[in-house]
Amino acid sequence: MKVGVLTGGGDCPGLNAVIRSVVRKGVQEYAFDFVGVRDGWLGLLKNDVVPLDISSVRGILPRGGTILGSSRTNPFKHEDGLRRVRDTLASYEVDALVVIGGEDTLGAATELSRQGIDLVGVPKTIDNDVSGTDYTFGFDTAVGIATEAIDRLHTTAESHMRALVVEVMGRHSGWIALHAGIAGGANVILIPERPFDMDQVCEQVKRRFEINYAPIVVVAEGAVPKEGQMILKDRSLDEYGHVRLSGIGEWLAQEISARTEKDARTTVLGHIQRGGTPSAFDRWLATRFGLHAIDAVKERDFGRMVALRDTRIVRVPLADVTGKNKVVDPSLYDEFDTFYG
């Protein structure tokens, strides 16, 4: 059997660990042949496929990003996309795909599966918002990076006695903001799941200044104020219909300064959260996902996604987990005093 591997969507720590485990087990245990698809679905549209073997994946376990490249290409937004995907797979005699991606990449995979293409999905995203799995790899690394940034910002905030707003990723779900904000000792945490009250935020900021303490506000990029709409710098759409987020942190700092008459500055972590060496947990989870994904290919259990449930890796139907996001459980709101809105 010949298996194609592709990584789609945003880059993410742990992608190379999946590629490595898929190829190593597939070659050593099942004698499969492998090819890598360049730049996600774009590679299948452009007939851009490269050989993959054990030597190709040697030494990539600790590397961030993806050796195959990635893109936010939606094959169904391109003329004759389905036919071009089929033609590329046929020309390289690819029998099945291992598709590593987040909500959009796996959504396209779900439709391709319905169209008869044999594939297995592997969930990845730093946002941890893919349904059906307790965690996605990349999330732990992103939280660690954001927490370290918050730790460092405490000292400069206190030195200048100013409020600091830290904008982290999270389009639909506030998992990074919640985890990093709690771990970093933030005073206010704002997430997409709950529109926030700007007056309440400013009141909390004032209270911190009154006790001679410089406040830290952590906000997910998709958070929305009750009295307004999503704050955006750029309203152009990608091929999946998403706007490019960012702007809420800068808006918050301006509002805090205007309403409290205190200095407020913004730090946007952006792509820093996605880059660099994956954490030990993300390497472990990504490796397990890869091993189980290639087992599913061997068993021809297609149209499924591997997922973490408690400590076990299970398989779930792609159709059951795509098209919806895993959001922060409302019960978590009540566990921490730092939620406002």
Side-chain angles (χ1 to χ4, degrees):
M1 178 180 284
K2 182 179 285 188
V3 181
V5 183
L6 70 82
T7 55
D11 62 294
C12 175
L15 285 168
N16 286 323
V18 181
I19 298 168
R20 173 180 176 270
S21 64
V22 165
V23 172
R24 284 175 60 91
K25 184 169 186 177
V27 171
Q28 294 175 338
E29 189 161 333
Y30 300 134
F32 288 166
D33 293 320
F34 286 90
V35 294
V37 179
R38 296 286 303 164
D39 301 327
W41 297 119
L42 184 62
L44 291 179
L45 296 176
K46 295 174 60 178
N47 200 36
D48 191 359
V49 175
V50 296
L52 269 184
D53 56 22
I54 289 180
S55 64
S56 304
V57 300
R58 187 168 292 127
I60 67 172
L61 178 64
R63 286 176 54 182
T66 164
I67 62 169
L68 295 177
S70 191
S71 72
R72 296 191 182 277
T73 302
N74 183 346
F76 295 100
K77 293 294 184 179
H78 292 255
E79 185 176 357
D80 293 329
L82 178 59
R83 178 191 59 78
R84 291 158 66 185
V85 168
R86 290 185 189 277
D87 287 350
T88 299
L89 294 175
S91 66
Y92 287 92
E93 299 180 330
V94 174
D95 300 297
L97 285 172
V98 173
V99 178
I100 311 165
E103 54 169 329
D104 294 325
T105 301
L106 294 178
T110 302
E111 183 56 33
L112 288 169
S113 178
R114 292 191 184 107
Q115 298 297 328
I117 293 177
D118 292 334
L119 55 82
V120 173
V122 176
K124 71 89 196 162
T125 169
I126 67 168
D127 291 344
N128 197 40
D129 62 355
V130 174
S131 295
T133 183
D134 291 347
Y135 287 100
T136 53
F137 65 88
F139 172 67
D140 185 71
T141 303
V143 168
I145 292 169
T147 301
E148 182 180 357
I150 296 167
D151 289 344
R152 291 174 181 272
L153 290 169
H154 272 293
T155 59
T156 191
E158 292 164 6
S159 295
H160 296 276
M161 284 307 293
R162 61 167 59 117
L164 286 183
V165 177
V166 185
E167 182 184 305
V168 300
M169 287 186 171
R171 177 181 296 273
H172 304 292
S173 303
W175 293 106
I176 295 176
L178 172 65
H179 283 71
I182 295 299
N187 308 110
V188 179
I189 300 172
L190 307 174
I191 62 175
E193 290 85 342
R194 175 174 288 187
F196 60 89
D197 185 324
M198 195 64 221
D199 290 334
Q200 196 172 2
V201 171
C202 289
E203 183 61 32
Q204 180 66 7
V205 168
K206 288 178 183 178
R207 289 177 189 169
R208 292 295 171 173
F209 278 120
E210 287 171 358
I211 60 173
N212 202 35
Y213 185 86
I216 299 285
V217 177
V218 174
V219 58
E221 60 187 354
V224 181
K226 283 182 178 179
E227 60 269 32
Q229 58 184 358
M230 185 176 288
I231 310 300
L232 300 171
K233 288 184 177 180
D234 182 355
R235 293 188 177 273
S236 60
L237 303 179
D238 65 16
E239 293 187 7
Y240 290 95
H242 298 311
V243 293
R244 183 178 299 170
L245 295 184
S246 190
I248 184 63
E250 183 177 334
W251 180 86
L252 270 170
Q254 292 172 353
E255 288 292 312
I256 289 171
S257 292
R259 298 188 188 203
T260 67
E261 298 183 342
K262 297 291 185 180
D263 190 20
R265 304 290 178 87
T266 305
T267 297
V268 181
L269 295 186
H271 293 87
I272 292 172
Q273 297 158 90
R274 293 214 307 238
T277 301
S279 67
F281 177 84
D282 281 341
R283 298 185 208 187
W284 173 85
L285 180 58
T287 298
R288 292 187 71 199
F289 276 167
L291 296 176
H292 284 261
I294 202 62
D295 285 344
V297 171
K298 172 63 175 178
E299 296 168 19
R300 305 192 67 82
D301 191 10
F302 299 123
R304 313 274 275 184
M305 181 188 83
V306 294
L308 179 68
R309 297 279 178 86
D310 297 323
T311 59
R312 299 181 301 113
I313 305 296
V314 299
R315 300 173 194 167
V316 295
L318 273 169
D320 290 352
V321 298
T322 51
K324 54 188 174 183
N325 297 104
K326 183 181 71 179
V327 297
V328 174
D329 189 327
S331 67
L332 291 176
Y333 298 155
D334 300 328
E335 293 185 16
F336 303 106
D337 293 334
T338 45
F339 269 101
Y340 298 92

